[in-house]
Amino acid sequence: MIALLNSPTRRTRRLLATILLAAACIVTLLPYVWLLCASLKSNSIFFDSLLLPGGDGPLGLNWSGITIDHYIRLFRDLDFGRSLVLSVFYSSVTSLLATLACAMAGYALARLRFRGKWLITTIVLGAVLIPAPLLLAPGYLLLYKLSLLDTMAAVILPAAAPAFGVYLFRQATISSVPPELIESARIDGAGDLKTFFVIALPLLRPMVGTFLMITFLGVWNNFITPQVVLQDPTKFPVAVSIAQLRGVYYQDYGLQMAGTLAAIFPLLALFAFLQREFIAGLTAGAVKA
Amino acid sequence: MSKRAAAPWILMTPFLAIFGVFFIYPVVRALTLSCEQTFGAGHSEFIGLANFRRLADDPLFWKALRNTTIFTLGSVLVQLPLALLLALLLETPGLRGRRIFRVLLFSPAMVGVAFAAVIFAVVFEKRTGVLNRVLHSMIGLDLDYAWLQDHVMGAMIVAALWMYTGFNMVFFSAALQNVRTDVVEAATIDGAGPWSRFVHVIVPAIRPVAGFVVLLSVIGSFQLFELPYLMLNTTAGPDNRGLTVVMYLYQAGFETGDLGYASAIGWMLTILLVAIAGVQRWLARAEGVHS
């Protein structure tokens, strides 16, 4: 086997794969590098260079064209930090609510017996197929009737009970919470609620982590819902603020790029720490199904 | 009700309460709303199936559907083969740095569509945009190639390529890890070349995941909205070249104020996507019976 792995053809194939993957990575990274450089360039020379402006200064750069003014304006004058904090708030509250609601419901549908279970399961599985844009108009009308338009609840509540979350937790329960364990807890006299929190939830931890991340990401990156339900700019999450910025400061490319980088950086940093769990959790369902 | 009988409902209640109010009710309301003409949130009038008749003759709706279909086909046909190729490279036996390659290639999936739209709006500028400059120096593409004016859907396909190729690659790569190495080795010993191994061993093994990835891409692509909407400065672009189905829904509901017509468009989208999912299910099942 070792000899096979190190045979010349294998080595050539490995080298070729490495070169092609490295090239793909460079193409993938280029927009990030370009974004970082663009956010540091003054607008007067924005289009003069591809990345940073060249010149006679140290490192062969024109340092007078490089500036952090865009970031200063963004955070001091335009209160962009507020949008970032709001995005953290919307995303964490929604993902906590959704994960708890979906984990409880998914577990109950997978392991408990009660009337109406079949009907609820069927509806949940069907709901996964409904595309979100269908709910835009009636959802707006509902929030209007509930006097919830332009409130934070309008962003959080409609996203707090996603059907596919229940589906994922139902699958996770079936594959990682053995019925015998629940049965023995029951014989020991533990109620269904206690059994869920003490026995099932710890076993569901990988899915809890994955689903928290999926929901957090989904809310952070959602543009259309807050765009439709919010009016007041002081309530905007970053996805809407960035669009606003683009509309108002149309020619101010540096400012737009600084805002975009500030908005995507927290997620990329989070991903850098949790990438293994995230990718494993995301693909597990698809490959097993 | 005894404590035992109540417990499942206590576990179900938080989900059912929110789901009932913010999902089931709006879906039912979408049905009745699609038979109304509304003027903003306050006033509406029952008009039967007139919205759907109007849709059938609405050239803008058909244009939106056509644009969205072009984007979807382009995305699936360009992006997925590339994703599969990258996954095959990633699963080369003995490859070093697999994890770092995977993470870097996947990372654009973290970047929201709204943010990618702002980046690519500047990338695609003619004359000054970075893409044309790079392509100009590499393959001599005309610097004035007007992506956002004349080739909107092409630009969207390129942007989506950056955003989702790594995402899809990760699914293919997970599927490839499940291909049994002994089967591949046996085929090699039997004298199967790389192409024959790919067609006869790898493709059948990853087919279920491939079906899932295609379905996910099609469903996602058909809901294209933010990318053209923000790249074209909240318009549909010259001659509605960037108009998509969801953008048309948004315009009808929230710019014109006709939530009824928007709901009718929403139902057309829903029917289309459910039909596509049904066909995929049917194909997968037919295959399962076959093998």
PDB file of all heavy atoms in Angstrom, chain B residues 30-52:
ATOM      1  N   ALA B  30     -51.805  33.256   1.993  1.00  0.00           N
ATOM      2  CA  ALA B  30     -51.253  33.445   0.648  1.00  0.00           C
ATOM      3  C   ALA B  30     -52.240  32.929  -0.403  1.00  0.00           C
ATOM      4  O   ALA B  30     -52.317  33.465  -1.510  1.00  0.00           O
ATOM      5  CB  ALA B  30     -49.905  32.740   0.513  1.00  0.00           C
ATOM      6  N   LEU B  31     -52.986  31.866  -0.024  1.00  0.00           N
ATOM      7  CA  LEU B  31     -53.992  31.331  -0.949  1.00  0.00           C
ATOM      8  C   LEU B  31     -55.098  32.347  -1.191  1.00  0.00           C
ATOM      9  O   LEU B  31     -55.432  32.657  -2.343  1.00  0.00           O
ATOM     10  CB  LEU B  31     -54.606  30.057  -0.364  1.00  0.00           C
ATOM     11  CG  LEU B  31     -54.010  28.721  -0.776  1.00  0.00           C
ATOM     12  CD1 LEU B  31     -54.794  27.595  -0.111  1.00  0.00           C
ATOM     13  CD2 LEU B  31     -54.029  28.549  -2.292  1.00  0.00           C
ATOM     14  N   THR B  32     -55.693  32.865  -0.106  1.00  0.00           N
ATOM     15  CA  THR B  32     -56.799  33.815  -0.277  1.00  0.00           C
ATOM     16  C   THR B  32     -56.288  35.124  -0.871  1.00  0.00           C
ATOM     17  O   THR B  32     -56.946  35.725  -1.721  1.00  0.00           O
ATOM     18  CB  THR B  32     -57.490  34.095   1.070  1.00  0.00           C
ATOM     19  OG1 THR B  32     -56.506  34.567   1.993  1.00  0.00           O
ATOM     20  CG2 THR B  32     -58.136  32.846   1.641  1.00  0.00           C
ATOM     21  N   LEU B  33     -55.088  35.529  -0.443  1.00  0.00           N
ATOM     22  CA  LEU B  33     -54.515  36.791  -0.919  1.00  0.00           C
ATOM     23  C   LEU B  33     -54.286  36.764  -2.433  1.00  0.00           C
ATOM     24  O   LEU B  33     -54.424  37.782  -3.107  1.00  0.00           O
ATOM     25  CB  LEU B  33     -53.205  37.049  -0.175  1.00  0.00           C
ATOM     26  CG  LEU B  33     -52.619  38.459  -0.155  1.00  0.00           C
ATOM     27  CD1 LEU B  33     -53.644  39.465   0.347  1.00  0.00           C
ATOM     28  CD2 LEU B  33     -51.377  38.488   0.720  1.00  0.00           C
ATOM     29  N   SER B  34     -53.955  35.575  -2.960  1.00  0.00           N
ATOM     30  CA  SER B  34     -53.671  35.497  -4.392  1.00  0.00           C
ATOM     31  C   SER B  34     -54.941  35.717  -5.218  1.00  0.00           C
ATOM     32  O   SER B  34     -54.865  35.868  -6.431  1.00  0.00           O
ATOM     33  CB  SER B  34     -53.017  34.162  -4.736  1.00  0.00           C
ATOM     34  OG  SER B  34     -53.917  33.111  -4.508  1.00  0.00           O
ATOM     35  N   CYS B  35     -56.106  35.719  -4.562  1.00  0.00           N
ATOM     36  CA  CYS B  35     -57.363  36.012  -5.263  1.00  0.00           C
ATOM     37  C   CYS B  35     -57.847  37.427  -4.967  1.00  0.00           C
ATOM     38  O   CYS B  35     -59.009  37.758  -5.166  1.00  0.00           O
ATOM     39  CB  CYS B  35     -58.450  35.008  -4.872  1.00  0.00           C
ATOM     40  SG  CYS B  35     -58.021  33.337  -5.320  1.00  0.00           S
ATOM     41  N   GLU B  36     -56.955  38.251  -4.433  1.00  0.00           N
ATOM     42  CA  GLU B  36     -57.341  39.627  -4.129  1.00  0.00           C
ATOM     43  C   GLU B  36     -56.420  40.593  -4.858  1.00  0.00           C
ATOM     44  O   GLU B  36     -55.308  40.249  -5.221  1.00  0.00           O
ATOM     45  CB  GLU B  36     -57.224  39.901  -2.611  1.00  0.00           C
ATOM     46  CG  GLU B  36     -58.210  39.126  -1.761  1.00  0.00           C
ATOM     47  CD  GLU B  36     -57.899  39.269  -0.278  1.00  0.00           C
ATOM     48  OE1 GLU B  36     -57.232  40.256   0.093  1.00  0.00           O
ATOM     49  OE2 GLU B  36     -58.309  38.387   0.491  1.00  0.00           O
ATOM     50  N   GLN B  37     -56.961  41.817  -5.052  1.00  0.00           N
ATOM     51  CA  GLN B  37     -56.085  42.890  -5.493  1.00  0.00           C
ATOM     52  C   GLN B  37     -55.948  43.831  -4.306  1.00  0.00           C
ATOM     53  O   GLN B  37     -56.954  44.218  -3.717  1.00  0.00           O
ATOM     54  CB  GLN B  37     -56.680  43.630  -6.682  1.00  0.00           C
ATOM     55  CG  GLN B  37     -55.760  44.729  -7.180  1.00  0.00           C
ATOM     56  CD  GLN B  37     -56.258  45.343  -8.481  1.00  0.00           C
ATOM     57  OE1 GLN B  37     -57.460  45.365  -8.728  1.00  0.00           O
ATOM     58  NE2 GLN B  37     -55.348  45.840  -9.291  1.00  0.00           N
ATOM     59  N   THR B  38     -54.727  44.148  -3.893  1.00  0.00           N
ATOM     60  CA  THR B  38     -54.582  45.008  -2.723  1.00  0.00           C
ATOM     61  C   THR B  38     -53.898  46.305  -3.113  1.00  0.00           C
ATOM     62  O   THR B  38     -53.179  46.388  -4.112  1.00  0.00           O
ATOM     63  CB  THR B  38     -53.755  44.344  -1.603  1.00  0.00           C
ATOM     64  OG1 THR B  38     -52.397  44.282  -2.023  1.00  0.00           O
ATOM     65  CG2 THR B  38     -54.255  42.949  -1.297  1.00  0.00           C
ATOM     66  N   PHE B  39     -54.179  47.322  -2.287  1.00  0.00           N
ATOM     67  CA  PHE B  39     -53.521  48.604  -2.464  1.00  0.00           C
ATOM     68  C   PHE B  39     -52.825  48.892  -1.149  1.00  0.00           C
ATOM     69  O   PHE B  39     -53.409  49.470  -0.249  1.00  0.00           O
ATOM     70  CB  PHE B  39     -54.549  49.676  -2.819  1.00  0.00           C
ATOM     71  CG  PHE B  39     -55.476  49.243  -3.922  1.00  0.00           C
ATOM     72  CD1 PHE B  39     -56.706  48.645  -3.632  1.00  0.00           C
ATOM     73  CD2 PHE B  39     -55.097  49.384  -5.248  1.00  0.00           C
ATOM     74  CE1 PHE B  39     -57.537  48.217  -4.651  1.00  0.00           C
ATOM     75  CE2 PHE B  39     -55.941  48.949  -6.263  1.00  0.00           C
ATOM     76  CZ  PHE B  39     -57.157  48.360  -5.969  1.00  0.00           C
ATOM     77  N   GLY B  40     -51.622  48.394  -0.996  1.00  0.00           N
ATOM     78  CA  GLY B  40     -50.930  48.487   0.286  1.00  0.00           C
ATOM     79  C   GLY B  40     -51.544  47.501   1.258  1.00  0.00           C
ATOM     80  O   GLY B  40     -52.269  46.589   0.860  1.00  0.00           O
ATOM     81  N   ALA B  41     -51.279  47.712   2.564  1.00  0.00           N
ATOM     82  CA  ALA B  41     -51.731  46.745   3.545  1.00  0.00           C
ATOM     83  C   ALA B  41     -53.215  46.923   3.890  1.00  0.00           C
ATOM     84  O   ALA B  41     -53.884  45.983   4.303  1.00  0.00           O
ATOM     85  CB  ALA B  41     -50.883  46.845   4.812  1.00  0.00           C
ATOM     86  N   GLY B  42     -53.764  48.118   3.700  1.00  0.00           N
ATOM     87  CA  GLY B  42     -55.105  48.430   4.213  1.00  0.00           C
ATOM     88  C   GLY B  42     -56.282  47.967   3.377  1.00  0.00           C
ATOM     89  O   GLY B  42     -57.257  47.451   3.909  1.00  0.00           O
ATOM     90  N   HIS B  43     -56.218  48.102   2.042  1.00  0.00           N
ATOM     91  CA  HIS B  43     -57.404  47.882   1.222  1.00  0.00           C
ATOM     92  C   HIS B  43     -57.208  46.723   0.259  1.00  0.00           C
ATOM     93  O   HIS B  43     -56.181  46.607  -0.370  1.00  0.00           O
ATOM     94  CB  HIS B  43     -57.704  49.149   0.417  1.00  0.00           C
ATOM     95  CG  HIS B  43     -57.700  50.379   1.260  1.00  0.00           C
ATOM     96  ND1 HIS B  43     -58.798  50.787   1.977  1.00  0.00           N
ATOM     97  CD2 HIS B  43     -56.698  51.260   1.526  1.00  0.00           C
ATOM     98  CE1 HIS B  43     -58.465  51.880   2.651  1.00  0.00           C
ATOM     99  NE2 HIS B  43     -57.210  52.184   2.399  1.00  0.00           N
ATOM    100  N   SER B  44     -58.257  45.905   0.161  1.00  0.00           N
ATOM    101  CA  SER B  44     -58.172  44.834  -0.824  1.00  0.00           C
ATOM    102  C   SER B  44     -59.544  44.506  -1.364  1.00  0.00           C
ATOM    103  O   SER B  44     -60.569  44.871  -0.793  1.00  0.00           O
ATOM    104  CB  SER B  44     -57.540  43.595  -0.193  1.00  0.00           C
ATOM    105  OG  SER B  44     -58.492  42.917   0.586  1.00  0.00           O
ATOM    106  N   GLU B  45     -59.549  43.806  -2.497  1.00  0.00           N
ATOM    107  CA  GLU B  45     -60.778  43.546  -3.225  1.00  0.00           C
ATOM    108  C   GLU B  45     -60.664  42.135  -3.792  1.00  0.00           C
ATOM    109  O   GLU B  45     -59.611  41.778  -4.333  1.00  0.00           O
ATOM    110  CB  GLU B  45     -60.838  44.558  -4.380  1.00  0.00           C
ATOM    111  CG  GLU B  45     -62.180  44.718  -5.025  1.00  0.00           C
ATOM    112  CD  GLU B  45     -62.075  45.751  -6.144  1.00  0.00           C
ATOM    113  OE1 GLU B  45     -61.619  46.887  -5.853  1.00  0.00           O
ATOM    114  OE2 GLU B  45     -62.391  45.405  -7.290  1.00  0.00           O
ATOM    115  N   PHE B  46     -61.737  41.326  -3.659  1.00  0.00           N
ATOM    116  CA  PHE B  46     -61.699  39.962  -4.181  1.00  0.00           C
ATOM    117  C   PHE B  46     -61.833  39.979  -5.705  1.00  0.00           C
ATOM    118  O   PHE B  46     -62.749  40.596  -6.242  1.00  0.00           O
ATOM    119  CB  PHE B  46     -62.837  39.139  -3.559  1.00  0.00           C
ATOM    120  CG  PHE B  46     -62.817  37.704  -4.002  1.00  0.00           C
ATOM    121  CD1 PHE B  46     -61.968  36.782  -3.394  1.00  0.00           C
ATOM    122  CD2 PHE B  46     -63.645  37.276  -5.044  1.00  0.00           C
ATOM    123  CE1 PHE B  46     -61.939  35.465  -3.815  1.00  0.00           C
ATOM    124  CE2 PHE B  46     -63.611  35.956  -5.471  1.00  0.00           C
ATOM    125  CZ  PHE B  46     -62.764  35.056  -4.849  1.00  0.00           C
ATOM    126  N   ILE B  47     -60.919  39.323  -6.401  1.00  0.00           N
ATOM    127  CA  ILE B  47     -60.997  39.336  -7.870  1.00  0.00           C
ATOM    128  C   ILE B  47     -60.898  37.933  -8.461  1.00  0.00           C
ATOM    129  O   ILE B  47     -60.641  37.764  -9.654  1.00  0.00           O
ATOM    130  CB  ILE B  47     -59.900  40.233  -8.495  1.00  0.00           C
ATOM    131  CG1 ILE B  47     -58.514  39.812  -7.990  1.00  0.00           C
ATOM    132  CG2 ILE B  47     -60.150  41.697  -8.224  1.00  0.00           C
ATOM    133  CD1 ILE B  47     -57.385  40.389  -8.802  1.00  0.00           C
ATOM    134  N   GLY B  48     -61.085  36.892  -7.636  1.00  0.00           N
ATOM    135  CA  GLY B  48     -61.057  35.525  -8.154  1.00  0.00           C
ATOM    136  C   GLY B  48     -59.693  35.142  -8.700  1.00  0.00           C
ATOM    137  O   GLY B  48     -58.683  35.449  -8.092  1.00  0.00           O
ATOM    138  N   LEU B  49     -59.709  34.507  -9.866  1.00  0.00           N
ATOM    139  CA  LEU B  49     -58.445  34.028 -10.420  1.00  0.00           C
ATOM    140  C   LEU B  49     -57.791  35.037 -11.372  1.00  0.00           C
ATOM    141  O   LEU B  49     -56.890  34.698 -12.127  1.00  0.00           O
ATOM    142  CB  LEU B  49     -58.675  32.697 -11.137  1.00  0.00           C
ATOM    143  CG  LEU B  49     -59.046  31.517 -10.224  1.00  0.00           C
ATOM    144  CD1 LEU B  49     -59.343  30.274 -11.040  1.00  0.00           C
ATOM    145  CD2 LEU B  49     -57.946  31.233  -9.203  1.00  0.00           C
ATOM    146  N   ALA B  50     -58.267  36.287 -11.306  1.00  0.00           N
ATOM    147  CA  ALA B  50     -57.778  37.285 -12.266  1.00  0.00           C
ATOM    148  C   ALA B  50     -56.263  37.482 -12.184  1.00  0.00           C
ATOM    149  O   ALA B  50     -55.612  37.716 -13.208  1.00  0.00           O
ATOM    150  CB  ALA B  50     -58.502  38.611 -12.044  1.00  0.00           C
ATOM    151  N   ASN B  51     -55.692  37.368 -10.970  1.00  0.00           N
ATOM    152  CA  ASN B  51     -54.234  37.526 -10.843  1.00  0.00           C
ATOM    153  C   ASN B  51     -53.489  36.501 -11.681  1.00  0.00           C
ATOM    154  O   ASN B  51     -52.474  36.808 -12.301  1.00  0.00           O
ATOM    155  CB  ASN B  51     -53.823  37.385  -9.379  1.00  0.00           C
ATOM    156  CG  ASN B  51     -54.023  38.677  -8.604  1.00  0.00           C
ATOM    157  OD1 ASN B  51     -53.909  39.768  -9.170  1.00  0.00           O
ATOM    158  ND2 ASN B  51     -54.340  38.553  -7.325  1.00  0.00           N
ATOM    159  N   PHE B  52     -54.013  35.263 -11.671  1.00  0.00           N
ATOM    160  CA  PHE B  52     -53.315  34.202 -12.407  1.00  0.00           C
ATOM    161  C   PHE B  52     -53.484  34.373 -13.907  1.00  0.00           C
ATOM    162  O   PHE B  52     -52.567  34.103 -14.677  1.00  0.00           O
ATOM    163  CB  PHE B  52     -53.809  32.828 -11.936  1.00  0.00           C
ATOM    164  CG  PHE B  52     -53.376  32.519 -10.520  1.00  0.00           C
ATOM    165  CD1 PHE B  52     -54.229  32.773  -9.454  1.00  0.00           C
ATOM    166  CD2 PHE B  52     -52.111  32.027 -10.252  1.00  0.00           C
ATOM    167  CE1 PHE B  52     -53.830  32.529  -8.143  1.00  0.00           C
ATOM    168  CE2 PHE B  52     -51.700  31.775  -8.957  1.00  0.00           C
ATOM    169  CZ  PHE B  52     -52.557  32.021  -7.893  1.00  0.00           C
TER     170      PHE B  52
END
